[in-house]
């Protein structure tokens, strides 16, 4: 198993809420991509390297249907996406122009892209849902991307949902939205995540047994010792 596959396998069992707590302890507060909600309830948690795409405001001479055939287009970007990546699209929070529709999402699904994440919206909602590509976004709108946006490039640093995303950063998505894990911290988060989940599961058990929160969450020395004994036992 490659390092990427191992990390993805581990983090697929760790919630985005837990990951944000771990990163907060590392000093990173701005890692949750605003506006990235699951398009379909109950989508499975996905983990993958970020493949970034960037839009800027529409300019009438550039944002045209003809631009879809340009060598620098969303179509070309999709063909460059590797299997297992998560496409992260900077749509500047625009919600009245759909960045991708059913055909583009179907192609991404066919290529093995793990998910699409954007602070914008998609179009052709029924077709996008039918394509089966997991999508996190702000919803749907009928107009095409060129009605409000100009596509400029892929695989460069972007801002998505107010978060700086660099190509190959790790992205984790679940029901709470999308969270960025800086590439340099991916291994450490994968190490800390499962232990944090075990610890919080133990705390939940104590709460369900009637324990009060002070001294339990966060734990004092006595409860830390009790947890360690339970973990060893």
């Amino acid at each position: 198993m490659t390092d990427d596959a191992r990390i993805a396998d581990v983090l697929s069992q760790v919630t985005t809420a837990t990951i944000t707590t771990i990163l907060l302890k590392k000093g990173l507060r701005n890692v949750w991509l605003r506006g990235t909600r699951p398009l379909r309830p109950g989508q499975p948690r996905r983990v993958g390297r970020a493949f970034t795409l960037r839009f800027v405001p529409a300019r009438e001479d550039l944002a045209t249907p003809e631009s879809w055939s340009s060598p620098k287009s969303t179509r070309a970007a999709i063909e460059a996406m590797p299997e297992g990546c998560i496409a992260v699209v900077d749509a500047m929070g625009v919600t009245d122009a759909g960045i991708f529709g059913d055909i583009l999402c179907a192609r991404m699904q066919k290529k093995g892209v793990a998910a699409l994440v954007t602070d914008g919206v998609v179009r052709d909602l029924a077709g996008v849902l039918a394509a089966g590509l997991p999508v996190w976004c702000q919803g749907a709108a009928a107009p095409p991307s060129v009605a409000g946006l100009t596509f400029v490039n892929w695989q460069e640093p972007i801002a998505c949902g107010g978060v700086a995303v660099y190509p190959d950063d790790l992205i984790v998505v679940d029901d709470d939205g999308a969270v960025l894990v800086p590439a340099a911290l991916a291994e450490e988060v994968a190490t800390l995540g499962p232990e944090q989940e075990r610890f919080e599961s133990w705390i939940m058990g104590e709460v369900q047994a009637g324990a009060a929160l002070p001294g339990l969450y966060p734990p004092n020395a006595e409860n830390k010792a009790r947890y360690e004994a339970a973990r060893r036992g």
Side-chain angles (χ1 to χ4, degrees):
M1 182 179 289
T2 65
D3 284 346
D4 270 11
R6 177 179 52 80
I7 290 171
D9 184 59
V10 170
L11 291 184
S12 68
Q13 307 302 315
V14 179
T15 68
T16 55
T18 292
I19 291 170
T20 60
T21 299
I22 292 170
L23 291 173
L24 179 65
K25 293 176 180 178
K26 297 292 178 186
L28 279 77
R29 298 176 180 271
N30 188 34
V31 294
W32 181 71
L33 281 62
R34 298 157 187 82
T36 56
R37 301 184 296 272
L39 189 62
R40 187 201 306 268
Q43 293 181 152
R45 185 174 298 115
R46 295 296 176 108
V47 184
R49 295 286 178 179
F51 186 99
T52 62
L53 301 92
R54 185 166 66 92
F55 285 88
V56 297
R59 208 178 81 185
E60 287 74 10
D61 61 326
L62 298 175
T64 65
E66 290 74 24
S67 68
W68 295 333
S69 299
S70 166
K72 189 166 285 188
S73 65
T74 52
R75 281 71 171 162
I78 288 170
E79 294 309 314
M81 293 178 183
E83 182 178 0
C85 75
I86 291 183
V88 185
V89 185
D90 174 8
M92 305 184 306
V94 170
T95 58
D96 57 0
I99 58 162
F100 293 152
D102 54 353
I103 293 174
L104 273 63
C105 287
R107 178 57 180 156
M108 293 167 68
Q109 172 74 359
K110 196 72 173 177
K111 284 181 62 66
V113 173
L116 166 63
V117 173
T118 181
D119 55 4
V121 297
V122 295
R123 63 195 299 246
D124 304 312
L125 179 59
V128 170
L129 292 172
L133 177 73
V135 177
W136 278 255
C137 66
Q138 294 208 62
S145 60
V146 293
L149 296 162
T150 302
F151 181 71
V152 289
N153 211 355
W154 64 91
Q155 284 299 74
E156 63 180 29
I158 62 169
C160 184
V163 176
V165 183
Y166 285 72
D168 295 327
D169 281 337
L170 207 64
I171 302 294
V172 184
V173 283
D174 62 16
D175 284 341
D176 286 350
V179 169
L180 173 136
V181 179
L185 293 178
E187 183 72 48
E188 187 172 6
V189 172
T191 299
L192 296 173
E195 173 59 22
Q196 182 70 24
E197 294 278 13
R198 285 190 292 268
F199 174 59
E200 293 194 0
S201 178
W202 178 81
I203 288 176
M204 181 61 78
E206 295 294 301
V207 169
Q208 291 175 339
L213 291 176
L216 176 66
Y217 189 58
N220 55 23
E222 178 186 352
N223 280 311
K224 284 181 180 178
R226 291 179 61 239
Y227 168 68
E228 289 299 326
R231 186 171 66 86
R232 291 193 302 270

